Amino acid sequence: MNFDRRTFLRRSAIAGASLALGTSALRALGRTSGTAPSTGGSMKFRFYPYTLELKHVFTVATNSRTTTAVMMVEVEQDGLTGYGEASMPPYLGESHATANAFLSKVDLTKYPDPFRLEDILRDIDAIAPGNNAAKAAVDIALHDWLGKKMGYPWHRIWGLDPAKTPVTTFTIGIDTKDVVRQKVKEADIYKVLKVKLGRENDKEMIETIREVTDKPIRVDVNQGWKDREFALKMIEWLATRGVEFVEQPMPKEQVDDIAWLRAKSPLPLIGDESVVRLADIRKAIGVFDGINIKLMKSTGMHEAYRMIATARALGMKVMIGCMTETSCAISAAAQLSPLADYADLDGALLISNDLFSGASIVDGKVTLTGMPGIGAIKL
Ligand code: MG
């Protein structure tokens, strides 16, 4: 071997000089480094509250509302801005006040750039428990920035085929017969309807829709049925009315009842409120046939991707859902949708004051843009 001491010293000297000189000097030397030296924490972080106006009063088993509080987030570095969003329907416990308090504790100047995603997200998660939507907002903004920096949308970075996005359901909230008929008409381009049940008029809701359309229906009970025998009878009836599956039929605390129901149910059961984050999937084994993953529950795209991989490994179906959100968070979720069996990504269609343009619904199908990052632009 001719690896002599002089060669070693010369190589060491170059390496030492590289560390001292930084990237510009390395480029001058005709060399590049795989790990760029710290740019000194120049990431800028901003957030501001916004309120989404809903086109219709939206009623599910547990509440009604006409607005949704959101917090918009921006991460800026190297002349690029990444956008994120926290959507906070009141029943989940987050608000402008909680998001403001949480995001005020986020310090991104500690990190050289958003490529330190694992460290950043782990540290943010450790700031306080809960605050999942606020955490998701930062995660989405970082992903948006990263995709823009790399020049690709995330579905490309993940290696996904944009043609494989699923159709999305259009949600019909609990309402009077006239309003339900009107909403079904509005949902003309959608190939599958999602119907909210869990109050006294469940059968009336379904019968009203069946008077005007024979489209497949997916039912979301939002934990509304408390008695398992009643739930089984309802599901058996729904199975004769063109219903594909039932989401969260019973309260998340009634795990044994849901497992009993699943063993007898003619329709698959999908867990939503029962499955919030990655660690909850183990509780869904033997209880649900699939899970509904939402960025506002999963703390963002990073953990949602892991949840999909875990659900798949366990043979579970995957649904990508949303809250009422602008096209910012919807576009972020849409990046994952080629991995899903089912999508419920109509959140931006239910509001009248969107701030972004991005993933859209074409002929009922989730349709991605080719724009980098989360694939959305601020209007
Ligand atoms: Mg649901």
Side-chain angles (χ1 to χ4, degrees):
M1 296 290 288
N2 57 4
F3 182 77
D4 58 30
R5 180 178 152 78
R6 206 169 44 187
T7 308
F8 173 77
L9 286 174
R10 196 168 62 235
R11 286 181 180 172
S12 302
I14 290 170
S18 302
L19 284 173
L21 291 171
T23 41
S24 53
L26 281 171
R27 267 187 228 111
L29 287 167
R31 294 166 60 105
T32 53
S33 169
T35 50
S38 168
T39 48
S42 58
M43 242 190 293
K44 292 196 184 81
F45 180 64
R46 299 182 289 271
F47 54 90
Y48 59 94
Y50 189 64
T51 300
L52 304 181
E53 307 288 340
L54 308 190
K55 289 177 185 166
H56 291 284
V57 178
F58 191 63
T59 302
V60 301
T62 44
N63 69 92
S64 290
R65 64 182 200 276
T66 54
T67 61
T68 302
V70 298
M71 189 68 93
M72 307 308 297
V73 162
E74 297 177 7
V75 170
E76 185 186 333
Q77 185 166 324
D78 300 347
L80 294 172
T81 302
Y83 297 98
E85 173 183 6
S87 172
M88 303 173 289
Y91 60 92
L92 292 175
E94 285 180 84
S95 63
H96 283 151
T98 64
N100 185 69
F102 182 85
L103 295 171
S104 297
K105 295 183 192 129
V106 171
D107 176 14
L108 297 182
T109 62
K110 294 189 278 190
Y111 313 95
D113 58 50
F115 283 96
R116 292 284 285 276
L117 194 65
E118 291 279 350
D119 288 346
I120 299 170
L121 295 180
R122 185 200 57 224
D123 295 349
I124 286 172
D125 201 18
I127 290 173
N131 294 282
N132 294 4
K135 289 171 183 174
V138 185
D139 166 286
I140 294 167
L142 291 167
H143 278 82
D144 192 34
W145 189 95
L146 286 165
K148 285 171 173 166
K149 186 73 173 172
M150 292 185 271
Y152 292 107
W154 272 92
H155 69 270
R156 295 265 293 151
I157 296 167
W158 282 322
L160 308 179
D161 180 354
K164 289 188 179 156
T165 53
V167 297
T168 184
T169 46
F170 185 83
T171 302
I172 311 278
I174 295 169
D175 227 313
T176 61
K177 283 182 161 197
D178 283 345
V179 176
V180 168
R181 283 192 205 102
Q182 177 59 31
K183 285 185 185 171
V184 172
K185 273 192 202 135
E186 276 177 44
D188 192 37
I189 67 155
Y190 300 92
K191 301 192 170 16
V192 188
L193 300 175
K194 175 163 171 170
V195 181
K196 296 287 194 178
L197 296 185
R199 289 203 174 173
E200 317 71 41
N201 64 341
D202 285 354
K203 286 192 176 177
E204 181 188 288
M205 284 280 297
I206 298 295
E207 299 284 26
T208 304
I209 292 165
R210 279 288 168 255
E211 283 168 21
V212 283
T213 181
D214 56 2
K215 283 178 188 174
I217 292 175
R218 297 168 186 169
V219 158
D220 188 356
V221 186
N222 289 110
Q223 319 185 75
W225 299 331
K226 315 297 179 196
D227 178 78
R228 67 187 191 182
E229 301 280 358
F230 174 81
L232 180 59
K233 284 204 178 70
M234 279 302 299
I235 294 172
E236 285 169 347
W237 181 80
L238 291 169
T240 67
R241 296 296 190 281
V243 170
E244 291 185 335
F245 62 70
V246 175
E247 194 178 322
Q248 198 70 40
M250 302 185 71
K252 58 180 188 277
E253 296 78 14
Q254 292 177 232
V255 179
D256 293 343
D257 287 335
I258 303 172
W260 176 91
L261 188 60
R262 183 193 174 226
K264 296 181 162 36
S265 171
L267 297 178
L269 304 185
I270 307 291
D272 182 2
E273 287 86 345
S274 290
V275 182
V276 177
R277 296 192 59 174
L278 178 60
D280 298 315
I281 296 181
R282 67 185 159 192
K283 291 184 283 182
I285 299 169
V287 180
F288 291 102
D289 300 284
I291 60 171
N292 184 351
I293 297 169
K294 298 176 182 168
L295 300 188
M296 297 304 141
K297 296 191 296 175
S298 71
T299 71
M301 298 165 76
H302 189 64
E303 189 158 316
Y305 187 89
R306 293 177 172 190
M307 289 178 77
I308 294 171
T310 305
R312 289 281 177 234
L314 293 166
M316 289 177 157
K317 293 286 189 187
V318 169
M319 175 172 175
I320 298 282
C322 64
M323 311 296 177
T324 41
E325 298 164 2
T326 73
S327 290
C328 175
I330 293 293
S331 298
Q335 296 295 328
L336 289 156
S337 70
L339 289 168
D341 301 292
Y342 316 114
D344 176 27
L345 293 177
D346 62 350
L349 305 166
L350 304 175
I351 62 170
S352 58
N353 58 343
D354 203 344
L355 291 172
F356 285 79
S357 173
S360 57
I361 309 302
V362 178
D363 288 336
K365 188 175 152 75
V366 178
T367 305
L368 295 160
T369 70
M371 291 187 283
I374 59 172
I377 48 164
K378 198 174 173 195
L379 294 170

